[in-house]
Amino acid sequence: MKVKYIVLITAVLFLLLFTTVEFAREYGYQEGLNEARQECLRNQLSDSQQALNSFTQAANQAAERVRLADRALSERIAEQELRDEQTTRDIKNALKKTASDRVNCVFDDDSMQQLAAARDRATAAVTGGINGHLSGTATP
């Protein structure tokens, strides 16, 4: 009978030892799995942060290019306005010289040259804009 109890106690101890070892193995496995998942998530987060930083940098560069283009366009528009004002003054002055002749629809050569030049500049501005000619349009 003592042998039965010894075998029973040994079996119970062996079962407890096996259960403890199996629990420790499973716990270690789950810990390793969780650490691997966290490392993967950290890598994904790092990649996402790098992509976001690259996007932000590209957006800032694009915004700077837009600001430079806007400034250049504003300068060109101001230059065009000055040329337009000068042309208007030149045409008015040329027409003042011959105001009495225009009653009979006679215009002097200076007035006609000024009008022709203004027409050519207007055509160039319409077909090409301030910066130059658009592709596929004729030059004046």
Side-chain angles (χ1 to χ4, degrees), residues 129-140:
I130 294 174
N131 292 330
H133 298 292
L134 297 174
S135 60
T137 59
T139 57

Side-chain angles (χ1 to χ4, degrees), residues 54-117:
S54 295
F55 177 77
T56 302
Q57 186 178 16
N60 288 340
Q61 290 172 351
E64 182 60 27
R65 286 192 303 269
V66 166
R67 280 191 289 278
L68 292 174
D70 180 57
R71 186 177 309 129
L73 183 59
S74 295
E75 289 172 1
R76 288 187 185 106
I77 289 171
E79 291 168 0
Q80 183 65 40
E81 287 174 348
L82 289 175
R83 284 191 297 271
D84 291 348
E85 290 172 6
Q86 182 61 43
T87 300
T88 300
R89 282 192 299 273
D90 291 345
I91 291 172
K92 282 182 179 180
N93 290 337
L95 291 172
K96 281 181 188 177
K97 294 177 189 174
T98 60
S100 60
D101 292 338
R102 283 195 316 278
V103 173
N104 298 323
C105 292
V106 175
F107 292 90
D108 67 329
D109 290 340
D110 190 32
S111 297
M112 296 307 292
Q113 287 174 350
Q114 289 287 337
L115 288 172

Side-chain angles (χ1 to χ4, degrees), residues 7-26:
V7 170
L8 183 61
I9 291 173
T10 304
V12 169
L13 287 176
F14 182 72
L15 183 61
L16 285 174
L17 179 64
F18 178 77
T19 304
T20 304
V21 168
E22 185 60 26
F23 176 76
R25 186 196 65 77
E26 182 64 24

